[in-house]
Structure formats: structure tokens, C-alpha cells
Amino acid sequence: MPYDENQHPYTGPRRSRRGLVAVAALVPVGLAGWLIWHGAGGNDAPGPAAASTPSSAGKPGDAGPTASPSLSASPSPSASATSSRAPERPRAKGPLAGKVVVVDPGHNPGNFRHPSEINKLVDIGTNRKECDTTGTATVDGYREADFTLDVSRRLRTLLEKQGARVEFTQENDRPFGPCVDERARFGNEAKADAVISVHADGSGTGNRGFHVILPALVKGGAADTSKIVGPSRDLGERIAGHFLRATGSAPSNYVGGGTGLDVRGDLGGLNLSTVPKVFIECGNMRDAEDAALLTSPGWRQKAAQGMADGIGSYLRK
Ligand code: ZN
């Protein structure tokens, strides 16, 4: 059954899992540069064009500091005691200071208790679509909605250490949802520099690996992605490259032709976004081998690290 707005039907012949070098040889664009780059020991990459020339594009260790001890700084007692204004947010320090990242943990653990609400159709510009879905789960019952929250919290910690301001669309702090249109508006209204919607897929057994979903060029109703297609691709390619490097997982063997990238025009969360945004499907919860990774806290930390590295690379460019 279709669990997921982002579920992909099985669309092509299965390929056996290959080593990363072999995968790289199959990848014609984008990620190929990343694979070569990271295989050469690069720690960062300025973008797809430069990624194909790793020897001149950077050096190991240029990713910047990963933590700032000053983050916990708070306004001095005297300042807060003498001011009647709302307390100001402590000024974060770090390479991502001043940047706003919206993290959208896919689905909501409460969605399955609210079928009528989440099945209500909402306007996604190009057409109407369900407000939200329950998400998938592993065979053993580990729910995607719990996975997305866990990874998102790990990601928040990593980004905040670098000074970014991180906002969540939901943190299991509401009975269901939000609807996909509201998730998109959240990033828009936050004027986010980058948005990532975290998911895991519900595809057939044997289908493995991660992929990042980029917005297609769509115009219709409230949807107009013309300004975000380019920057979202840049964001997504960086996340895919760093995710691969941090987790060691191969790009999807069933979506994206081995690139780890897919482009879709049917997702309200992307269609209605006016700020750079991507989805990531971290793996396939319905495949036993992928499920073993997705249920591992250690692997989830690597997944969050890969996302944080990709987002940080995009925001520092
Ligand atoms: Zn999902």
C-alpha cells in the first residue's frame, strides 16, 4: 500500500549493489564529481563544476570548525534585568551564524490516529493532494515518523554547534501533521536559507540506498519553483555527496539511475516552497538490509552528519 507521499513505485530493473568506485563509474553527472572528490580525500566541495577538479578545489580540513564553545552564551544578567524588551536571542557564533535552517521531520507519529484529518486534500498549486500521510515502517514496526524525528534532532544539534538557527516544522508537539502546504509555508515564512525534509522510503524489498529529491520546475496556482530549482539542486547535490561519504551507503538502486538524485513535481512540500529545499529518503525501511541501518542509532548519527555537512557546505559557499 502506498504509505508515503514520497514513495516510489518500483520503476526499473534491479541492479546488484556495487562498490562505490563502480557506482561512481555509472554516474554521469553531479554525484560523480562528488564521488571522485571525496574519494580523493576532499573534505568539502564548492559545487558540481569544481567538484570534478578536486586537486585545485580545496583541501582536506577546510570544512571549518564543527563546534563553537560560545553557543551557550546568554545575555548578561544586568542586560536582561534592565531591559523591558523581549530578551534577544543570543548571537550564535560559528561558520553558520546568521543562517536559518528549517528541518522538516517527515510525517508525525500521531498521524495514524487522525486518518480523516490527514486524508483531507490541500492545494499544492498544481493539483490537490492529501494533507499528510502516516509514513512507512520497518517490518519490525520501527516507524518512519520516529526515524525522521530522531535524525532531525541529531541534525539540529550538529547545525546549532556551527551557529545555525534551526527550526522544526513539527516535533511530535501536535496531534497530527502539519499538512504539506503548511510545511512548505513554514520554511517560506522563516525565510530559511535551506530546508530539508527528512524521510525514509517504503519501497519493495531489494530496493536499497538513499536519494535526495529536488524540486522540478513547476508553475501552477500558488506553486512557482522557478527561483528555487537551481539553488535547491546545489543544496541537494551537496547533501547527497556528503551523505554518501558520511554513511558509506550507496545511492538508490531503484530511483535516479545511480545518481542519488531524483526530481519531482508532485510534492506539495517542494512545489510551494519559495526557499531552497530538498527531501532526502535515507533508505528503504521495507528492505531488511536497509532497515538494519535505519534502526541503528550509530548509523542515524552518520546520516545526520552527512546532512549537516552538505547543508553547511551549501550555506558557506
Ligand atoms: Zn516519508
PDB file of all heavy atoms in Angstrom, residues 6-43:
ATOM      1  N   ASN A   6       6.024  10.262  -0.654  1.00  0.00           N
ATOM      2  CA  ASN A   6       7.287  10.199  -1.376  1.00  0.00           C
ATOM      3  C   ASN A   6       7.631   8.794  -1.799  1.00  0.00           C
ATOM      4  O   ASN A   6       8.733   8.523  -2.218  1.00  0.00           O
ATOM      5  CB  ASN A   6       8.391  10.731  -0.487  1.00  0.00           C
ATOM      6  CG  ASN A   6       7.928  12.014   0.102  1.00  0.00           C
ATOM      7  OD1 ASN A   6       7.552  12.905  -0.632  1.00  0.00           O
ATOM      8  ND2 ASN A   6       7.878  12.083   1.407  1.00  0.00           N
ATOM      9  N   GLN A   7       6.680   7.910  -1.643  1.00  0.00           N
ATOM     10  CA  GLN A   7       7.003   6.542  -2.009  1.00  0.00           C
ATOM     11  C   GLN A   7       7.180   6.433  -3.512  1.00  0.00           C
ATOM     12  O   GLN A   7       6.446   7.019  -4.292  1.00  0.00           O
ATOM     13  CB  GLN A   7       5.886   5.609  -1.571  1.00  0.00           C
ATOM     14  CG  GLN A   7       6.228   4.161  -1.873  1.00  0.00           C
ATOM     15  CD  GLN A   7       5.171   3.235  -1.343  1.00  0.00           C
ATOM     16  OE1 GLN A   7       4.059   3.657  -1.098  1.00  0.00           O
ATOM     17  NE2 GLN A   7       5.518   1.989  -1.194  1.00  0.00           N
ATOM     18  N   HIS A   8       8.140   5.677  -3.898  1.00  0.00           N
ATOM     19  CA  HIS A   8       8.372   5.470  -5.319  1.00  0.00           C
ATOM     20  C   HIS A   8       7.983   4.065  -5.688  1.00  0.00           C
ATOM     21  O   HIS A   8       8.426   3.128  -5.061  1.00  0.00           O
ATOM     22  CB  HIS A   8       9.862   5.634  -5.639  1.00  0.00           C
ATOM     23  CG  HIS A   8      10.327   7.013  -5.412  1.00  0.00           C
ATOM     24  ND1 HIS A   8      10.389   7.940  -6.404  1.00  0.00           N
ATOM     25  CD2 HIS A   8      10.731   7.636  -4.292  1.00  0.00           C
ATOM     26  CE1 HIS A   8      10.829   9.072  -5.914  1.00  0.00           C
ATOM     27  NE2 HIS A   8      11.056   8.918  -4.635  1.00  0.00           N
ATOM     28  N   PRO A   9       7.161   3.928  -6.714  1.00  0.00           N
ATOM     29  CA  PRO A   9       6.927   2.574  -7.198  1.00  0.00           C
ATOM     30  C   PRO A   9       8.219   2.010  -7.786  1.00  0.00           C
ATOM     31  O   PRO A   9       9.102   2.770  -8.192  1.00  0.00           O
ATOM     32  CB  PRO A   9       5.873   2.776  -8.292  1.00  0.00           C
ATOM     33  CG  PRO A   9       6.041   4.189  -8.735  1.00  0.00           C
ATOM     34  CD  PRO A   9       6.531   4.949  -7.533  1.00  0.00           C
ATOM     35  N   TYR A  10       8.288   0.712  -7.802  1.00  0.00           N
ATOM     36  CA  TYR A  10       9.454   0.084  -8.412  1.00  0.00           C
ATOM     37  C   TYR A  10       9.433   0.415  -9.897  1.00  0.00           C
ATOM     38  O   TYR A  10       8.464   0.150 -10.591  1.00  0.00           O
ATOM     39  CB  TYR A  10       9.375  -1.422  -8.180  1.00  0.00           C
ATOM     40  CG  TYR A  10      10.442  -2.198  -8.888  1.00  0.00           C
ATOM     41  CD1 TYR A  10      11.778  -2.008  -8.556  1.00  0.00           C
ATOM     42  CD2 TYR A  10      10.119  -3.113  -9.858  1.00  0.00           C
ATOM     43  CE1 TYR A  10      12.762  -2.730  -9.191  1.00  0.00           C
ATOM     44  CE2 TYR A  10      11.093  -3.840 -10.502  1.00  0.00           C
ATOM     45  CZ  TYR A  10      12.416  -3.647 -10.165  1.00  0.00           C
ATOM     46  OH  TYR A  10      13.382  -4.360 -10.792  1.00  0.00           O
ATOM     47  N   THR A  11      10.476   1.043 -10.410  1.00  0.00           N
ATOM     48  CA  THR A  11      10.402   1.586 -11.764  1.00  0.00           C
ATOM     49  C   THR A  11      11.438   1.025 -12.725  1.00  0.00           C
ATOM     50  O   THR A  11      11.455   1.399 -13.881  1.00  0.00           O
ATOM     51  CB  THR A  11      10.592   3.113 -11.739  1.00  0.00           C
ATOM     52  OG1 THR A  11      11.811   3.397 -11.050  1.00  0.00           O
ATOM     53  CG2 THR A  11       9.434   3.786 -11.045  1.00  0.00           C
ATOM     54  N   GLY A  12      12.287   0.167 -12.281  1.00  0.00           N
ATOM     55  CA  GLY A  12      13.295  -0.281 -13.232  1.00  0.00           C
ATOM     56  C   GLY A  12      13.919  -1.589 -12.795  1.00  0.00           C
ATOM     57  O   GLY A  12      13.614  -2.111 -11.729  1.00  0.00           O
ATOM     58  N   PRO A  13      14.788  -2.096 -13.617  1.00  0.00           N
ATOM     59  CA  PRO A  13      15.431  -3.369 -13.292  1.00  0.00           C
ATOM     60  C   PRO A  13      16.330  -3.220 -12.072  1.00  0.00           C
ATOM     61  O   PRO A  13      16.966  -2.197 -11.891  1.00  0.00           O
ATOM     62  CB  PRO A  13      16.249  -3.679 -14.549  1.00  0.00           C
ATOM     63  CG  PRO A  13      16.465  -2.348 -15.204  1.00  0.00           C
ATOM     64  CD  PRO A  13      15.263  -1.529 -14.870  1.00  0.00           C
ATOM     65  N   ARG A  14      16.311  -4.204 -11.258  1.00  0.00           N
ATOM     66  CA  ARG A  14      17.176  -4.179 -10.074  1.00  0.00           C
ATOM     67  C   ARG A  14      18.616  -4.348 -10.492  1.00  0.00           C
ATOM     68  O   ARG A  14      18.949  -5.144 -11.344  1.00  0.00           O
ATOM     69  CB  ARG A  14      16.790  -5.306  -9.133  1.00  0.00           C
ATOM     70  CG  ARG A  14      15.863  -4.848  -8.042  1.00  0.00           C
ATOM     71  CD  ARG A  14      15.434  -6.032  -7.229  1.00  0.00           C
ATOM     72  NE  ARG A  14      16.540  -6.690  -6.566  1.00  0.00           N
ATOM     73  CZ  ARG A  14      16.397  -7.804  -5.867  1.00  0.00           C
ATOM     74  NH1 ARG A  14      15.229  -8.346  -5.749  1.00  0.00           N
ATOM     75  NH2 ARG A  14      17.430  -8.349  -5.278  1.00  0.00           N
ATOM     76  N   ARG A  15      19.436  -3.597  -9.836  1.00  0.00           N
ATOM     77  CA  ARG A  15      20.864  -3.801 -10.045  1.00  0.00           C
ATOM     78  C   ARG A  15      21.459  -4.296  -8.748  1.00  0.00           C
ATOM     79  O   ARG A  15      21.023  -3.937  -7.674  1.00  0.00           O
ATOM     80  CB  ARG A  15      21.544  -2.485 -10.431  1.00  0.00           C
ATOM     81  CG  ARG A  15      21.151  -2.015 -11.804  1.00  0.00           C
ATOM     82  CD  ARG A  15      22.234  -1.100 -12.335  1.00  0.00           C
ATOM     83  NE  ARG A  15      22.501  -0.013 -11.438  1.00  0.00           N
ATOM     84  CZ  ARG A  15      21.873   1.168 -11.521  1.00  0.00           C
ATOM     85  NH1 ARG A  15      20.975   1.362 -12.440  1.00  0.00           N
ATOM     86  NH2 ARG A  15      22.154   2.117 -10.680  1.00  0.00           N
ATOM     87  N   SER A  16      22.454  -5.109  -8.900  1.00  0.00           N
ATOM     88  CA  SER A  16      23.111  -5.565  -7.683  1.00  0.00           C
ATOM     89  C   SER A  16      23.857  -4.411  -7.051  1.00  0.00           C
ATOM     90  O   SER A  16      24.222  -3.443  -7.720  1.00  0.00           O
ATOM     91  CB  SER A  16      24.082  -6.698  -8.026  1.00  0.00           C
ATOM     92  OG  SER A  16      25.073  -6.207  -8.892  1.00  0.00           O
ATOM     93  N   ARG A  17      24.058  -4.524  -5.769  1.00  0.00           N
ATOM     94  CA  ARG A  17      24.768  -3.475  -5.058  1.00  0.00           C
ATOM     95  C   ARG A  17      26.240  -3.514  -5.468  1.00  0.00           C
ATOM     96  O   ARG A  17      26.855  -4.562  -5.537  1.00  0.00           O
ATOM     97  CB  ARG A  17      24.635  -3.731  -3.562  1.00  0.00           C
ATOM     98  CG  ARG A  17      25.099  -2.594  -2.702  1.00  0.00           C
ATOM     99  CD  ARG A  17      24.585  -2.847  -1.300  1.00  0.00           C
ATOM    100  NE  ARG A  17      25.187  -1.910  -0.363  1.00  0.00           N
ATOM    101  CZ  ARG A  17      24.730  -0.679  -0.183  1.00  0.00           C
ATOM    102  NH1 ARG A  17      23.723  -0.256  -0.878  1.00  0.00           N
ATOM    103  NH2 ARG A  17      25.294   0.104   0.719  1.00  0.00           N
ATOM    104  N   ARG A  18      26.759  -2.367  -5.754  1.00  0.00           N
ATOM    105  CA  ARG A  18      28.140  -2.313  -6.202  1.00  0.00           C
ATOM    106  C   ARG A  18      28.967  -1.500  -5.225  1.00  0.00           C
ATOM    107  O   ARG A  18      28.428  -0.729  -4.444  1.00  0.00           O
ATOM    108  CB  ARG A  18      28.222  -1.648  -7.573  1.00  0.00           C
ATOM    109  CG  ARG A  18      27.495  -2.395  -8.667  1.00  0.00           C
ATOM    110  CD  ARG A  18      27.563  -1.601  -9.950  1.00  0.00           C
ATOM    111  NE  ARG A  18      27.035  -2.343 -11.082  1.00  0.00           N
ATOM    112  CZ  ARG A  18      25.758  -2.377 -11.401  1.00  0.00           C
ATOM    113  NH1 ARG A  18      24.889  -1.745 -10.679  1.00  0.00           N
ATOM    114  NH2 ARG A  18      25.354  -3.064 -12.457  1.00  0.00           N
ATOM    115  N   GLY A  19      30.254  -1.672  -5.348  1.00  0.00           N
ATOM    116  CA  GLY A  19      31.145  -0.834  -4.570  1.00  0.00           C
ATOM    117  C   GLY A  19      31.064   0.602  -5.052  1.00  0.00           C
ATOM    118  O   GLY A  19      30.596   0.878  -6.143  1.00  0.00           O
ATOM    119  N   LEU A  20      31.542   1.512  -4.226  1.00  0.00           N
ATOM    120  CA  LEU A  20      31.389   2.925  -4.552  1.00  0.00           C
ATOM    121  C   LEU A  20      32.142   3.299  -5.808  1.00  0.00           C
ATOM    122  O   LEU A  20      31.705   4.151  -6.571  1.00  0.00           O
ATOM    123  CB  LEU A  20      31.852   3.786  -3.390  1.00  0.00           C
ATOM    124  CG  LEU A  20      30.979   3.666  -2.133  1.00  0.00           C
ATOM    125  CD1 LEU A  20      31.459   4.643  -1.089  1.00  0.00           C
ATOM    126  CD2 LEU A  20      29.524   3.908  -2.455  1.00  0.00           C
ATOM    127  N   VAL A  21      33.284   2.666  -6.032  1.00  0.00           N
ATOM    128  CA  VAL A  21      34.045   3.006  -7.234  1.00  0.00           C
ATOM    129  C   VAL A  21      33.240   2.630  -8.466  1.00  0.00           C
ATOM    130  O   VAL A  21      33.130   3.392  -9.425  1.00  0.00           O
ATOM    131  CB  VAL A  21      35.405   2.297  -7.233  1.00  0.00           C
ATOM    132  CG1 VAL A  21      36.110   2.522  -8.567  1.00  0.00           C
ATOM    133  CG2 VAL A  21      36.258   2.825  -6.078  1.00  0.00           C
ATOM    134  N   ALA A  22      32.631   1.453  -8.408  1.00  0.00           N
ATOM    135  CA  ALA A  22      31.807   1.030  -9.542  1.00  0.00           C
ATOM    136  C   ALA A  22      30.602   1.938  -9.700  1.00  0.00           C
ATOM    137  O   ALA A  22      30.206   2.286 -10.805  1.00  0.00           O
ATOM    138  CB  ALA A  22      31.363  -0.417  -9.349  1.00  0.00           C
ATOM    139  N   VAL A  23      30.014   2.327  -8.589  1.00  0.00           N
ATOM    140  CA  VAL A  23      28.874   3.246  -8.653  1.00  0.00           C
ATOM    141  C   VAL A  23      29.309   4.546  -9.311  1.00  0.00           C
ATOM    142  O   VAL A  23      28.634   5.079 -10.183  1.00  0.00           O
ATOM    143  CB  VAL A  23      28.314   3.506  -7.240  1.00  0.00           C
ATOM    144  CG1 VAL A  23      27.295   4.642  -7.290  1.00  0.00           C
ATOM    145  CG2 VAL A  23      27.663   2.246  -6.697  1.00  0.00           C
ATOM    146  N   ALA A  24      30.460   5.027  -8.910  1.00  0.00           N
ATOM    147  CA  ALA A  24      30.941   6.293  -9.470  1.00  0.00           C
ATOM    148  C   ALA A  24      31.074   6.187 -10.977  1.00  0.00           C
ATOM    149  O   ALA A  24      30.772   7.125 -11.713  1.00  0.00           O
ATOM    150  CB  ALA A  24      32.282   6.658  -8.847  1.00  0.00           C
ATOM    151  N   ALA A  25      31.512   5.040 -11.449  1.00  0.00           N
ATOM    152  CA  ALA A  25      31.702   4.880 -12.884  1.00  0.00           C
ATOM    153  C   ALA A  25      30.379   4.945 -13.637  1.00  0.00           C
ATOM    154  O   ALA A  25      30.349   5.269 -14.814  1.00  0.00           O
ATOM    155  CB  ALA A  25      32.388   3.539 -13.158  1.00  0.00           C
ATOM    156  N   LEU A  26      29.291   4.663 -12.924  1.00  0.00           N
ATOM    157  CA  LEU A  26      27.987   4.673 -13.581  1.00  0.00           C
ATOM    158  C   LEU A  26      27.334   6.035 -13.560  1.00  0.00           C
ATOM    159  O   LEU A  26      26.351   6.263 -14.250  1.00  0.00           O
ATOM    160  CB  LEU A  26      27.046   3.704 -12.858  1.00  0.00           C
ATOM    161  CG  LEU A  26      27.400   2.234 -12.944  1.00  0.00           C
ATOM    162  CD1 LEU A  26      26.510   1.440 -12.006  1.00  0.00           C
ATOM    163  CD2 LEU A  26      27.228   1.759 -14.371  1.00  0.00           C
ATOM    164  N   VAL A  27      27.842   6.927 -12.754  1.00  0.00           N
ATOM    165  CA  VAL A  27      27.137   8.182 -12.507  1.00  0.00           C
ATOM    166  C   VAL A  27      27.612   9.237 -13.490  1.00  0.00           C
ATOM    167  O   VAL A  27      28.763   9.613 -13.488  1.00  0.00           O
ATOM    168  CB  VAL A  27      27.401   8.657 -11.066  1.00  0.00           C
ATOM    169  CG1 VAL A  27      26.686   9.969 -10.827  1.00  0.00           C
ATOM    170  CG2 VAL A  27      26.920   7.605 -10.083  1.00  0.00           C
ATOM    171  N   PRO A  28      26.704   9.701 -14.350  1.00  0.00           N
ATOM    172  CA  PRO A  28      27.147  10.620 -15.391  1.00  0.00           C
ATOM    173  C   PRO A  28      27.309  12.065 -14.928  1.00  0.00           C
ATOM    174  O   PRO A  28      28.088  12.805 -15.494  1.00  0.00           O
ATOM    175  CB  PRO A  28      26.030  10.513 -16.429  1.00  0.00           C
ATOM    176  CG  PRO A  28      24.814  10.129 -15.630  1.00  0.00           C
ATOM    177  CD  PRO A  28      25.303   9.308 -14.480  1.00  0.00           C
ATOM    178  N   VAL A  29      26.537  12.478 -13.967  1.00  0.00           N
ATOM    179  CA  VAL A  29      26.545  13.901 -13.603  1.00  0.00           C
ATOM    180  C   VAL A  29      26.578  14.055 -12.101  1.00  0.00           C
ATOM    181  O   VAL A  29      26.345  13.129 -11.357  1.00  0.00           O
ATOM    182  CB  VAL A  29      25.284  14.628 -14.137  1.00  0.00           C
ATOM    183  CG1 VAL A  29      25.286  14.681 -15.645  1.00  0.00           C
ATOM    184  CG2 VAL A  29      24.025  13.957 -13.610  1.00  0.00           C
ATOM    185  N   GLY A  30      26.812  15.275 -11.695  1.00  0.00           N
ATOM    186  CA  GLY A  30      26.612  15.661 -10.305  1.00  0.00           C
ATOM    187  C   GLY A  30      27.372  14.812  -9.316  1.00  0.00           C
ATOM    188  O   GLY A  30      28.513  15.109  -8.966  1.00  0.00           O
ATOM    189  N   LEU A  31      26.761  13.741  -8.929  1.00  0.00           N
ATOM    190  CA  LEU A  31      27.324  12.940  -7.862  1.00  0.00           C
ATOM    191  C   LEU A  31      28.652  12.315  -8.245  1.00  0.00           C
ATOM    192  O   LEU A  31      29.477  12.024  -7.393  1.00  0.00           O
ATOM    193  CB  LEU A  31      26.320  11.857  -7.469  1.00  0.00           C
ATOM    194  CG  LEU A  31      26.423  11.318  -6.051  1.00  0.00           C
ATOM    195  CD1 LEU A  31      26.375  12.450  -5.038  1.00  0.00           C
ATOM    196  CD2 LEU A  31      25.286  10.354  -5.792  1.00  0.00           C
ATOM    197  N   ALA A  32      28.863  12.105  -9.540  1.00  0.00           N
ATOM    198  CA  ALA A  32      30.139  11.534  -9.967  1.00  0.00           C
ATOM    199  C   ALA A  32      31.288  12.392  -9.484  1.00  0.00           C
ATOM    200  O   ALA A  32      32.296  11.900  -8.981  1.00  0.00           O
ATOM    201  CB  ALA A  32      30.170  11.400 -11.485  1.00  0.00           C
ATOM    202  N   GLY A  33      31.108  13.692  -9.642  1.00  0.00           N
ATOM    203  CA  GLY A  33      32.138  14.605  -9.173  1.00  0.00           C
ATOM    204  C   GLY A  33      32.354  14.494  -7.678  1.00  0.00           C
ATOM    205  O   GLY A  33      33.476  14.515  -7.200  1.00  0.00           O
ATOM    206  N   TRP A  34      31.257  14.328  -6.994  1.00  0.00           N
ATOM    207  CA  TRP A  34      31.363  14.182  -5.545  1.00  0.00           C
ATOM    208  C   TRP A  34      32.130  12.930  -5.175  1.00  0.00           C
ATOM    209  O   TRP A  34      32.964  12.933  -4.288  1.00  0.00           O
ATOM    210  CB  TRP A  34      29.962  14.094  -4.943  1.00  0.00           C
ATOM    211  CG  TRP A  34      29.315  15.402  -4.809  1.00  0.00           C
ATOM    212  CD1 TRP A  34      28.422  15.985  -5.660  1.00  0.00           C
ATOM    213  CD2 TRP A  34      29.514  16.350  -3.760  1.00  0.00           C
ATOM    214  NE1 TRP A  34      28.063  17.211  -5.196  1.00  0.00           N
ATOM    215  CE2 TRP A  34      28.707  17.459  -4.031  1.00  0.00           C
ATOM    216  CE3 TRP A  34      30.297  16.351  -2.605  1.00  0.00           C
ATOM    217  CZ2 TRP A  34      28.659  18.561  -3.199  1.00  0.00           C
ATOM    218  CZ3 TRP A  34      30.247  17.449  -1.779  1.00  0.00           C
ATOM    219  CH2 TRP A  34      29.428  18.544  -2.080  1.00  0.00           C
ATOM    220  N   LEU A  35      31.811  11.873  -5.870  1.00  0.00           N
ATOM    221  CA  LEU A  35      32.449  10.606  -5.524  1.00  0.00           C
ATOM    222  C   LEU A  35      33.944  10.676  -5.763  1.00  0.00           C
ATOM    223  O   LEU A  35      34.737  10.234  -4.949  1.00  0.00           O
ATOM    224  CB  LEU A  35      31.817   9.485  -6.356  1.00  0.00           C
ATOM    225  CG  LEU A  35      30.360   9.169  -5.989  1.00  0.00           C
ATOM    226  CD1 LEU A  35      29.695   8.376  -7.094  1.00  0.00           C
ATOM    227  CD2 LEU A  35      30.305   8.414  -4.679  1.00  0.00           C
ATOM    228  N   ILE A  36      34.303  11.252  -6.899  1.00  0.00           N
ATOM    229  CA  ILE A  36      35.723  11.381  -7.202  1.00  0.00           C
ATOM    230  C   ILE A  36      36.377  12.287  -6.171  1.00  0.00           C
ATOM    231  O   ILE A  36      37.426  12.002  -5.624  1.00  0.00           O
ATOM    232  CB  ILE A  36      35.909  11.959  -8.623  1.00  0.00           C
ATOM    233  CG1 ILE A  36      35.378  10.965  -9.650  1.00  0.00           C
ATOM    234  CG2 ILE A  36      37.365  12.285  -8.889  1.00  0.00           C
ATOM    235  CD1 ILE A  36      35.147  11.577 -11.022  1.00  0.00           C
ATOM    236  N   TRP A  37      35.690  13.376  -5.923  1.00  0.00           N
ATOM    237  CA  TRP A  37      36.204  14.369  -4.982  1.00  0.00           C
ATOM    238  C   TRP A  37      36.441  13.753  -3.612  1.00  0.00           C
ATOM    239  O   TRP A  37      37.509  13.872  -3.029  1.00  0.00           O
ATOM    240  CB  TRP A  37      35.184  15.506  -4.900  1.00  0.00           C
ATOM    241  CG  TRP A  37      35.417  16.492  -3.816  1.00  0.00           C
ATOM    242  CD1 TRP A  37      34.583  16.757  -2.786  1.00  0.00           C
ATOM    243  CD2 TRP A  37      36.534  17.362  -3.671  1.00  0.00           C
ATOM    244  NE1 TRP A  37      35.107  17.731  -2.002  1.00  0.00           N
ATOM    245  CE2 TRP A  37      36.311  18.116  -2.509  1.00  0.00           C
ATOM    246  CE3 TRP A  37      37.709  17.561  -4.384  1.00  0.00           C
ATOM    247  CZ2 TRP A  37      37.209  19.075  -2.062  1.00  0.00           C
ATOM    248  CZ3 TRP A  37      38.606  18.514  -3.940  1.00  0.00           C
ATOM    249  CH2 TRP A  37      38.350  19.256  -2.798  1.00  0.00           C
ATOM    250  N   HIS A  38      35.421  13.065  -3.126  1.00  0.00           N
ATOM    251  CA  HIS A  38      35.570  12.525  -1.789  1.00  0.00           C
ATOM    252  C   HIS A  38      36.516  11.343  -1.766  1.00  0.00           C
ATOM    253  O   HIS A  38      37.223  11.134  -0.790  1.00  0.00           O
ATOM    254  CB  HIS A  38      34.196  12.173  -1.223  1.00  0.00           C
ATOM    255  CG  HIS A  38      33.380  13.397  -1.000  1.00  0.00           C
ATOM    256  ND1 HIS A  38      33.751  14.363  -0.114  1.00  0.00           N
ATOM    257  CD2 HIS A  38      32.254  13.844  -1.601  1.00  0.00           C
ATOM    258  CE1 HIS A  38      32.866  15.354  -0.151  1.00  0.00           C
ATOM    259  NE2 HIS A  38      31.965  15.064  -1.054  1.00  0.00           N
ATOM    260  N   GLY A  39      36.535  10.618  -2.869  1.00  0.00           N
ATOM    261  CA  GLY A  39      37.492   9.525  -2.944  1.00  0.00           C
ATOM    262  C   GLY A  39      38.917  10.034  -2.892  1.00  0.00           C
ATOM    263  O   GLY A  39      39.826   9.367  -2.423  1.00  0.00           O
ATOM    264  N   ALA A  40      39.105  11.275  -3.369  1.00  0.00           N
ATOM    265  CA  ALA A  40      40.435  11.865  -3.364  1.00  0.00           C
ATOM    266  C   ALA A  40      40.780  12.483  -2.019  1.00  0.00           C
ATOM    267  O   ALA A  40      41.852  13.035  -1.850  1.00  0.00           O
ATOM    268  CB  ALA A  40      40.520  12.936  -4.462  1.00  0.00           C
ATOM    269  N   GLY A  41      39.858  12.410  -1.089  1.00  0.00           N
ATOM    270  CA  GLY A  41      40.158  12.887   0.254  1.00  0.00           C
ATOM    271  C   GLY A  41      39.721  14.306   0.513  1.00  0.00           C
ATOM    272  O   GLY A  41      40.049  14.878   1.537  1.00  0.00           O
ATOM    273  N   GLY A  42      38.977  14.894  -0.415  1.00  0.00           N
ATOM    274  CA  GLY A  42      38.489  16.250  -0.191  1.00  0.00           C
ATOM    275  C   GLY A  42      37.521  16.282   0.971  1.00  0.00           C
ATOM    276  O   GLY A  42      36.787  15.336   1.189  1.00  0.00           O
ATOM    277  N   ASN A  43      37.502  17.382   1.641  1.00  0.00           N
ATOM    278  CA  ASN A  43      36.630  17.494   2.800  1.00  0.00           C
ATOM    279  C   ASN A  43      35.442  18.393   2.525  1.00  0.00           C
ATOM    280  O   ASN A  43      34.560  18.530   3.327  1.00  0.00           O
ATOM    281  CB  ASN A  43      37.433  18.040   3.979  1.00  0.00           C
ATOM    282  CG  ASN A  43      36.811  17.662   5.300  1.00  0.00           C
ATOM    283  OD1 ASN A  43      36.079  16.683   5.367  1.00  0.00           O
ATOM    284  ND2 ASN A  43      37.087  18.432   6.332  1.00  0.00           N
TER     285      ASN A  43
END
